[in-house]
Each structure stands twice: as C-alpha cells, then as structure tokens.
Amino acid sequence: MNTLTGFTNRTVQNHHPESDRETILNDYRIVHRSRWTSIIARQEVFSGKAKFGIFGDGKEVAQVALAHAFRKGDFRSGYYRDQTLMFSLGLLTLEEYFAQLYGHADLSYEPNFGGRAMTGHFATRLLNPDGSWKNQRASINSAADLSPTAGQMPRLVGLALASKLYRSLPGLEDLSALFSDNGNEIAFGTIGNAACAEGIFWEAINAVGVLQAPMLLSIWDDGYGISVPNELQIVKGDIFAILKGFQRKQNKPGIDISTVRGWDYPQLCRTFLAAAETVRRTHTPAIVHVSELTQPQGHSTSGSQERYKPAERLKWEREYDCVGKMREWMVKNAIATPEELNEIEAEEKRLVLDMRDRAWAVFQTPLQNDRDVLLDIIDESADAAPEPSRLEEISDALGNIKYPIRRDLLAAAGEALIALNRGPEESKRKLAAWKKEQERVASERYDTHLYSVSCESALRKRPVSPVYSPDSPAKAGFEILNACFDAAFARYPHLVAMGEDIGRLGDVNQGFAGLQSRYGALRVMDTGIREATIVGQAIGLALRGFKPIADIQYLDYLLYAIETISDDLASLRWRTCGGQKSPVIIRTRGHRLEGIWHSGSPMAGIINLVKGVYVCVPRDAVQAAGFYNTIFDSDDSALIIEVLNAYRKRSIMPDNIGEFSIPLGVPEIIRTGRDVTVVTYGACCAPAQEAAGQLSGVGIEVELIDVRTLIPFDLNGVIVDSLKKTGRILFLDEDCPGGATAYMMQRVIEEGGGFHWLDSAPRTLTAKEHRPAYGSDGDYFSKPSREQIFEAVYEIMREACPARFPDLEGRDLPT
Ligand SMILES: Cc1ncc(C[n+]2csc(CCOP(=O)(O)OP(=O)(O)O)c2C)c(N)n1
C-alpha cells in the first residue's frame, strides 16, 4: 500500500506503467486541462465565437479516476458533462473539443458528429468510411451522446447485455474477433443526479438488474438539475438512499451500490477500480453515486446559477471544488510542491489557449477563403452592373462581418442575385453557380447518412422471388411468420429477439412459438413490460454487432419507446455523420382489433418521428416475411408493423420462406383499373379490395395500390404512373385525418408531380379524429369501412361524370 496515496500500486499500474506519482501528476494535468477548457470555452461563447456552452467543470477529478477503470473493448454511454473522461481516455483532443464548440462541420476536425451536434456531446467512430465495423476490441468505445436527460440509459442496457451474450452464446467466434473478448467488457454509464428522476432511468436500472449484465453507472450528483434541487427531484432528496433497494444481497441478484465524494481523488480511484473489477469478473452490475460535486460555472452559458443557488451553497461549492481539493491533497501528501503544481496549471492553460487558436484558425480559414471568393464575384458583378450601389453595400456588409459563417455568405449571395435581377446574365450565372456549389457542399455536410449507403443498405438488396410449387402449403399467418423466424434464427447466429411474452409463450400471436426452446432463452428473450428499454436493449446489442429484433407487443405501445427510437436509434447514423449504426428490427402488430389501445394506427406520428428507420406496413404475413428477410440481411433499421387480423388468415406459404425477400419502396398494384387510383397499405388493403369489387359492379374500375412501405415511399413513381392513367386518386388509411394520408398525398401530388395528371381533386379517406371506439360497431364507426371506401370512390366518379353515376341517395332525382 502506498501510504501517500492510499491506494495500491498494483491497481493503478493496471493501466499506467509509470510510478504512482507520475500517474497522479498526469491526472492533475488532465484535470486542469479540462478546467481551463471549460473556462476558455465559456469565454468563446460570450465573445460571440461560439453559440452555446455546456461544460464538465466540477466533475474533473471523479472522471480522471473513473478513466482508470476502463479497458480496451469497453463502452461508454454518457452525457454532456464527460469531457474530462473523454480527454483522460484519449478519445478527445483539445482541438476536437474546440472544433465541436465552433460547430466545425468537417469530420477530420470534429470526428464526434461532424458538426451536427452541440458541444459536450461525444461519440467515437465505430465504422470505417465504407460503413463496415471497426474493431471495437482494439479501442475504448463511446456510444453517441444525446441531449434528452437519461436518453443514454435504454441503450446502456443492451451495451451491457452484449458482453453477457458474447460470454454465453455459441457460434459467435467470427463476431467476437471484432466485438468481444469473451464478454469481458464493461458498459460504463454516466448520468446527472436530476436525470435520475426520469422514468427511463428507473426502467433501465430495473432491466439491467434483472438481466445481471456488466454495467457500471456513475451518477454525477451536484445537488441540482439546473435550478431545481435534489429535494424536488428525488424522494428524500437522496438518490443513493433510494437506490439502496436494488443492492445485491448474498445469493440474491441485484446491483452493487456505493457512494463516494466527488473531490476525494484516492477514494474515487479505489471505488471505481474495485467496482469495475467485480463487474468485469462476475457480470454483476454496479452503480457508483458520486456526491458533493459542484458546478463552478453554472449549468450552461444560458443563465447564471447565482439566481437560484443560495449564497451558502455557492460558498460551499467554492470550498469543495474538486480541483482545489485534489491540489490540497497532493501538497499535503508531498506528491508535488505548490510550485510544481503552479507550473502544471500554467502549462495546461497555455496548451488550451494554443489548441483553441489552432481549432479557430482551421475553422475560420476556409470560411474566410470562401468569403473572399464570393466578394470577388460580387465586386466583379458590381463593376458590370448598371446600378452597382446595392451590390457595393452587400459587399461592404459581408466584408465587415468579424466572424462570418456560411449562412452569412449564402444570405449575401441571395441578396446579390436579387440586386442583379436585371443585370448582366454572365454575372448572374457566375454567382448562381457559386451558390449552387455551396449548397451542394452544405448538403454533404448536413444531409447525408440518414440511412445506410453501405453495400449492406436495405435498398441495395436484390429481391428474391417467392417460389411456389404444387406442394406449397396453405398456412395461417402466424405459422408463416414462425417459419420465417425459425429459418432466420438457424441462419444468423447473432440474431436475437427480445420482448414481452415472446419466449415461453411464443408471443401473443404465436409468431415466435417454439423458438425459445429451440434457440435458447438468451436468443429469444422474455422481458419485463418496458418498451423503451426493449428498444434500448436492441440498440445497445446492435451497436456491438448483434442483429436484434425488439418486439413491441402492440403498435399502440410503441409510443412508450418512441423517444428512444426517435432521439437515439433513428438519428444515430445521421447525427454521427456515418460514424455509428445500430441495425435494429422493431417488430410490432397493430391496426384493427378492439378499442382505443389495441387498434390504434398513429402512423403519421410514427413516420414523422422515426426518419432514419424504414417503416414497412405489410398487408399480410407473407409480405411481412418478405420484408424481414430483406432487413435481416441489411445494416439499416426498420420498423415492421404486422396486421393483427392477418395472423389467422390462411395463405400459401412460399417454399423459400427463409430466403424470398421484398424490396423496400416498391408499391404493389394489387388490382388494375382505369378509373380511380386508390392508394393504401396494411389492414386497409382488405376492405379496399372488397370495395373495388363492388365498384366494378357499377362500372368503376379501381387501380388499387398497396404502398407496402411508408419509408421509403414509392421510389420508382409507381403511383404517379397509375395516376397518369386514371387522373383521379384516393389516399386511404386508418390514421387520423391529415395523418399518413396527407403524407402520401404530399409525396405523390407535390413531390412526385402528380398534380399535373389530376382530372379530379385528390381525396383522402381516414379514420375519425378520435381514437377507435370499442367493439365491432365502435370499429365500424371509427375507421373507414368497405361502404365508405365505395362511397368515396363513387363520389369522385359522380363528380366527374354525373350522367353516368347518379347520386347514391337519390338527391339528384327530381322531387
Ligand atoms: C428530457 C429533457 N428534459 C429537459 C431537458 C433540459 N435540461 C437539460 S440539462 C437539465 C438538468 C439536468 O440535470 P442533471 O441530470 O443533474 O445533470 P447536470 O446537468 O446537473 O450534470 C435539464 C432539465 C433535457 N435536456 N431533456
């Protein structure tokens, strides 16, 4: 035992070959580097060079200590206070930090998010430029941070569970080479004390405790959530006391809970190293509550803590600032003299200032260069223009902006084009070409990577046609899906599924029947009722190489998970600028059944929130199987919504049920006709087919199109082609008015140019504005029925040709 420091050489030397003293001095260096970073970054915001700041000051010492517990292969799932941890782990340089602060949209300088996310949000690049996985075992890895408090918790469950699966499941040798050393990795989480009041925090803690997965969560407790103190956040104002109920007891699984003061460097090192050692070895989760932390600069650059923290508290925070406390401890234990520490502090300040200047220069230089080019073009135009004064004004204004950003450049170019409206064509063309090129580059900077562009993209999959033979059996929908899943579990050793009642029961509709007994409880996992962390579990697993199916029992309950899907899963590839992917399949079932919570169809809500995830709405089980087979084989994420009343419907099952696949974004014309195009999907296909039959009886031939996927939507213009023929169109679904029918209408009429082919006003037919009422009558009067579809189409035709189609209710007969 080193009496100076109070912790053993052996533990520290686990990670640092140097002597203890050097380790401590180096930690002190990083602590100061990080503190100066916060102070100087804040000045950058107030001087107008950066827009917003949120920093890790007050948490530095705890984070340098935590860093000692990490090993290669480990994962971090944290939040915006973790700059010191990132510096300590070697995952973030000062230049990168400042590049992010400035919003530098260039991956070579800002590799976390390529300028797409605000300061203090961290991520490592898990993918090669071609979209394939890098070797996670060779590095420490960080999932991509997100701002919603506790948003990092659901996927933490899956990141931890992956280690357990790698340690337990056979057949993963190939994957292990990239992702895991026999499951020895820890998923480290960090979270603020106030974020622990969020529901998904408790959901995740409960889940990881049940799963007994190797998570080590640090709670940075500085007593407040912006202005609201712990007393108003957590029962008893004490998250540690409340978490105690999760404490692992002898022979009873649970979570190891400990607490440590955030300014006590040696005790922090001891606590984290001991906790990590147990987690890694035994796969028992642990939580370290770090108390008595401070926030010297306040919550963020927008607002001052003096407005809500009592003077007494502020005084305490100054006394217990972890940086000062660490210094005190080092001097007291003769680890360094005050002069040596002063020297380190001064050196670190200089370093931070130098790196800030470098980051600023590389951020500003291309902007200044682009401005110079634009100014030359505008000035040249002014020389040639009949009335140059406005152009000169624009040029002067642009030239006088101290720190130009691209918006200033584009705004000036736009104004110059207006001023040049009646000017020489040559000048206009040159300026317009410059603007266009800037817009193209901006689109590359900000619009790319919403979906996969790798060779595993779902859109690149060659469809495989279903094979039918005289012996192809007629099967119920659930049996068809069951056969599809069975084939997939057999083929892909890294395919795992998780959800409520999917294991022992085989899911509420029997799609997974018998699969748990065939493939084991770790591949077909029953979970608690916890939709957000079912999806989170899948996200974390997919980040570590698995192919997970997150089963959400009913479409209506997807709403519990929608935050995680929208904020984390759907934006992941985009917000990391192609640096991370999490190919998750979300399986659910919905549309018509019974009542408000078992027959909802909130499609517009979903599709508008999950851009980045493909949305398939198959009309029956065979179609659903075709989509699963496409997605199993791709690195995109997809939501597949099965139709509840298709499970009992019998269809002929293709002989190649495990292979045949359906391309995304390709609608199917399920009935041809010349008069009206009806566009629908999912459960509405059945009544639409019936109505089309009736309409044929009165001389109206409907072209019925099943869009099959809402995202992507009709990539080849099948619907507009139909409209060219019919000139009339009805968009039909069981979402609310203005819901997904409005989305389809925008895609076809505006984006697809369908407007040009319309002979009648386009129409929509939807469910009522209220939620579906209970029972068959409730359903009938809430959702579009065969009769309503008939009437809607008939009405379109009657408006066009009243002579051929008399009013159904006899209103146009003479009275
Ligand atoms: C879901 C959500 N609600 C509100 C906010 C706004 N907000 C940002 S940080 C914060 C306080 C968080 O406090 P704590 O978890 O203790 O972390 P700290 O910032 O103190 O480290 C709040 C309310 C948010 N980002 N996300």
Side-chain angles (χ1 to χ4, degrees):
M1 176 78 76
N2 181 327
T3 48
L4 279 185
T5 58
F7 56 93
T8 64
N9 286 339
R10 190 186 55 77
T11 46
V12 173
Q13 280 173 357
N14 258 344
H15 307 284
H16 296 268
E18 307 88 349
S19 72
D20 251 349
R21 181 171 183 273
E22 271 173 52
T23 302
I24 298 163
L25 285 175
N26 191 50
D27 280 356
Y28 190 71
R29 231 172 229 296
I30 295 171
V31 161
H32 264 277
R33 184 173 307 166
S34 187
R35 178 60 61 89
W36 280 119
T37 301
S38 299
I39 294 169
I40 291 163
R42 185 177 163 86
Q43 291 163 359
E44 295 297 276
V45 176
F46 291 130
S47 72
K49 285 161 73 184
K51 243 194 141 173
F52 173 74
I54 190 155
F55 312 113
D57 48 314
K59 281 91 188 161
E60 294 93 341
V61 173
Q63 293 183 17
V64 286
L66 173 61
H68 291 304
F70 276 72
R71 301 244 186 96
K72 280 186 180 165
D74 287 345
F75 251 91
R76 163 189 172 274
S77 180
Y79 80 115
Y80 51 77
R81 297 286 180 213
D82 288 351
Q83 72 199 41
T84 316
L85 180 62
M86 296 298 288
F87 288 143
S88 300
L89 295 174
L91 301 181
L92 180 73
T93 67
L94 282 168
E95 282 167 286
E96 288 163 357
Y97 180 90
F98 281 100
Q100 187 179 63
L101 182 76
Y102 301 137
H104 197 162
D106 183 334
L107 274 177
S108 45
Y109 298 103
E110 204 286 79
N112 296 272
F113 295 99
R116 292 179 183 187
M118 68 161 59
T119 188
H121 288 61
F122 308 114
T124 53
R125 300 203 74 71
L126 302 178
L127 303 181
N128 296 307
D130 66 358
S132 60
W133 291 109
K134 287 185 178 175
N135 184 350
Q136 295 182 0
R137 287 177 59 171
S139 55
I140 290 170
N141 310 289
S142 174
D145 291 0
L146 53 168
S147 290
T149 45
Q152 70 275 32
M153 293 300 296
R155 65 165 183 233
L156 180 59
V157 177
L159 289 171
L161 182 64
S163 292
K164 184 166 168 158
L165 298 192
Y166 278 117
R167 200 175 274 185
S168 315
L169 288 177
L172 298 174
E173 295 73 23
D174 287 354
L175 276 190
S176 292
L178 280 186
F179 295 101
S180 180
D181 174 14
N182 192 36
N184 287 336
E185 307 77 22
I186 294 178
F188 286 89
T190 67
I191 190 166
N193 50 293
C196 298
E198 291 281 10
I200 47 173
F201 169 79
W202 296 101
E203 195 181 307
I205 294 301
N206 180 57
V208 97
V210 169
L211 292 167
Q212 288 294 288
M215 171 203 79
L216 200 171
L217 176 70
S218 304
I219 301 174
W220 308 136
D221 189 347
D222 56 21
Y224 285 81
I226 309 188
S227 67
V228 181
N230 271 346
E231 292 63 40
L232 298 178
Q233 301 277 3
I234 303 284
V235 181
K236 302 181 185 181
D238 185 348
I239 183 69
F240 175 63
I242 301 309
L243 282 168
K244 271 299 207 179
F246 288 87
Q247 177 64 54
R248 176 165 68 109
K249 299 267 165 60
Q250 261 181 349
N251 302 328
K252 284 238 168 152
I255 302 176
D256 281 334
I257 317 278
S258 52
T259 189
V260 56
R261 290 176 301 196
W263 46 264
D264 187 347
Y265 172 75
Q267 191 58 27
L268 282 159
C269 291
R270 276 195 292 267
T271 306
F272 283 128
L273 287 170
E277 197 279 322
T278 309
V279 173
R280 210 178 287 284
R281 188 168 41 80
T282 65
H283 277 188
T284 308
I287 297 177
V288 176
H289 169 244
V290 183
S291 67
E292 299 192 19
L293 288 169
T294 67
Q295 215 166 64
Q297 300 191 127
H299 175 77
S300 72
T301 48
S302 35
S304 121
Q305 57 180 347
E306 284 71 25
R307 278 168 45 207
Y308 50 81
K309 283 189 184 165
E312 195 66 351
R313 166 80 194 189
L314 289 168
K315 181 166 168 280
W316 177 88
E317 288 203 13
R318 280 190 296 275
E319 266 170 46
Y320 282 81
D321 185 317
C322 62
V323 178
K325 282 277 173 195
M326 184 173 178
R327 183 186 160 105
E328 225 174 271
W329 171 79
M330 287 170 76
V331 173
K332 192 165 160 212
N333 287 284
I335 295 164
T337 63
E339 293 70 31
E340 283 170 317
L341 297 180
N342 290 346
E343 182 56 26
I344 289 178
E345 290 165 25
E347 277 171 18
E348 287 305 318
K349 182 177 182 184
R350 273 196 301 277
L351 179 74
V352 176
L353 287 169
D354 280 356
M355 294 303 126
R356 174 202 64 179
D357 292 345
R358 270 210 224 174
W360 180 249
V362 291
F363 173 60
Q364 273 290 299
T365 306
L367 279 164
Q368 302 278 1
N369 292 344
D370 282 351
R371 173 168 67 176
D372 289 347
V373 172
L374 177 60
L375 285 173
D376 284 349
I377 296 174
I378 296 176
D379 293 345
E380 243 176 60
S381 311
D383 292 343
E387 289 174 33
S389 61
R390 177 70 191 123
L391 288 163
E392 284 161 8
E393 256 173 53
I394 295 166
S395 170
D396 287 348
L398 180 60
N400 285 333
I401 296 175
K402 194 168 169 198
Y403 306 130
I405 57 172
R406 293 190 192 280
R407 185 185 63 191
D408 300 320
L409 272 57
L410 270 290
E415 284 180 44
L417 276 172
I418 296 170
L420 269 172
N421 195 14
R422 294 182 198 289
E425 288 300 312
E426 178 56 27
S427 305
K428 277 202 304 196
R429 266 200 293 274
K430 198 163 178 190
L431 188 52
W434 179 90
K435 184 164 170 273
K436 205 161 183 187
E437 174 59 11
Q438 289 286 324
E439 284 162 352
R440 187 193 63 75
V441 177
S443 184
E444 266 174 20
R445 282 191 192 110
Y446 296 117
D447 303 338
T448 50
H449 298 294
L450 188 54
Y451 302 94
S452 171
V453 287
S454 80
C455 57
E456 290 178 66
S457 155
L459 301 187
R460 292 200 185 181
K461 295 290 151 194
R462 282 252 185 98
V464 177
S465 303
V467 174
Y468 292 101
S469 62
D471 297 333
S472 302
K475 296 262 187 191
F478 73 89
E479 294 172 307
I480 292 171
L481 282 163
N482 189 253
C484 163
F485 293 134
D486 194 2
F489 276 108
R491 181 174 333 141
Y492 305 106
H494 63 314
L495 182 70
V496 289
M498 61 226 64
E500 298 150 21
D501 303 296
I502 70 163
R504 229 177 265 182
L505 182 62
D507 90 43
V508 284
N509 298 95
Q510 298 297 287
F512 281 123
L515 299 184
Q516 187 182 67
S517 52
R518 204 160 307 151
Y519 298 101
L522 285 179
R523 292 191 64 197
V524 185
M525 283 175 264
D526 273 324
T527 67
I529 305 170
R530 48 176 182 80
E531 287 75 14
T533 51
I534 289 171
V535 170
Q537 191 168 318
I539 296 172
L541 287 172
L543 275 167
R544 295 191 60 195
F546 284 92
K547 173 75 65 183
I549 301 175
D551 188 290
I552 301 296
Q553 203 159 76
Y554 291 103
L555 174 59
D556 304 75
Y557 308 136
L558 191 73
L559 300 191
Y560 271 51
I562 206 80
E563 187 275 325
T564 297
I565 300 172
S566 182
D567 287 326
D568 198 3
L569 179 65
S571 73
L572 183 69
R573 194 191 298 264
W574 172 83
R575 76 182 193 271
T576 56
C577 209
Q580 297 194 2
K581 64 180 174 183
S582 176
V584 165
I585 301 155
I586 302 172
R587 173 187 186 218
T588 188
R589 45 199 76 76
H591 309 313
R592 282 166 196 255
L593 192 68
E594 296 295 344
I596 306 181
W597 296 286
H598 295 87
S599 60
S601 187
M603 297 311 301
I606 293 168
I607 56 178
N608 286 308
L609 286 168
V610 308
K611 302 283 197 261
V613 172
Y614 289 131
V615 178
C616 307
V617 281
R619 65 179 181 275
D620 62 27
V622 175
Q623 295 276 314
F627 288 128
Y628 282 115
N629 289 334
T630 299
I631 296 298
F632 285 146
D633 225 11
S634 94
D635 69 354
D636 275 299
S637 294
L639 165 64
I640 299 181
I641 301 170
E642 297 165 17
V643 175
L644 274 166
N645 56 21
Y647 292 124
R648 302 266 148 208
K649 195 184 132 197
R650 294 185 85 76
S651 313
I652 305 294
M653 184 168 86
D655 297 344
N656 56 346
I657 186 67
E659 286 95 42
F660 96 95
S661 62
I662 298 179
L664 306 192
V666 182
E668 184 181 352
I669 299 173
I670 50 182
R671 182 184 176 110
T672 53
R674 59 170 189 268
D675 296 321
V676 180
T677 302
V678 174
V679 180
T680 192
Y681 59 89
C684 277
C685 290
Q689 261 169 320
E690 289 173 25
Q694 283 184 327
L695 285 157
S696 180
V698 297
I700 298 171
E701 295 304 333
V702 163
E703 180 131 306
L704 181 58
I705 301 183
D706 174 6
V707 301
R708 305 203 292 186
T709 60
L710 286 168
I711 305 176
F713 187 84
D714 188 7
L715 296 171
N716 306 316
V718 170
I719 301 170
V720 172
D721 282 347
S722 169
L723 190 53
K724 287 178 188 168
K725 182 169 63 173
T726 62
R728 303 178 220 288
I729 193 161
L730 172 72
F731 297 94
L732 163 73
D733 76 357
E734 49 180 288
D735 195 1
C736 60
T741 49
Y743 161 81
M744 295 195 288
M745 190 190 265
Q746 185 271 337
R747 288 290 160 118
V748 173
I749 304 300
E750 183 188 289
E751 218 175 287
F755 173 79
H756 298 289
W757 307 95
L758 286 173
D759 295 326
S760 295
R763 283 204 52 189
T764 63
L765 177 61
T766 67
K768 297 265 178 65
E769 196 142 311
H770 56 72
R771 305 282 289 268
Y774 182 66
S776 300
D777 274 353
D779 172 86
Y780 184 82
F781 290 106
S782 302
K783 298 212 168 180
S785 61
R786 181 189 63 186
E787 290 69 33
Q788 286 176 322
I789 300 166
F790 179 97
E791 284 165 25
V793 174
Y794 189 88
E795 213 33 51
I796 292 173
M797 290 308 292
R798 200 181 87 78
E799 249 174 53
C801 328
R804 272 183 65 204
F805 303 106
D807 184 81
L808 285 169
E809 295 174 12
R811 278 171 299 196
D812 49 12
L813 292 174
T815 50

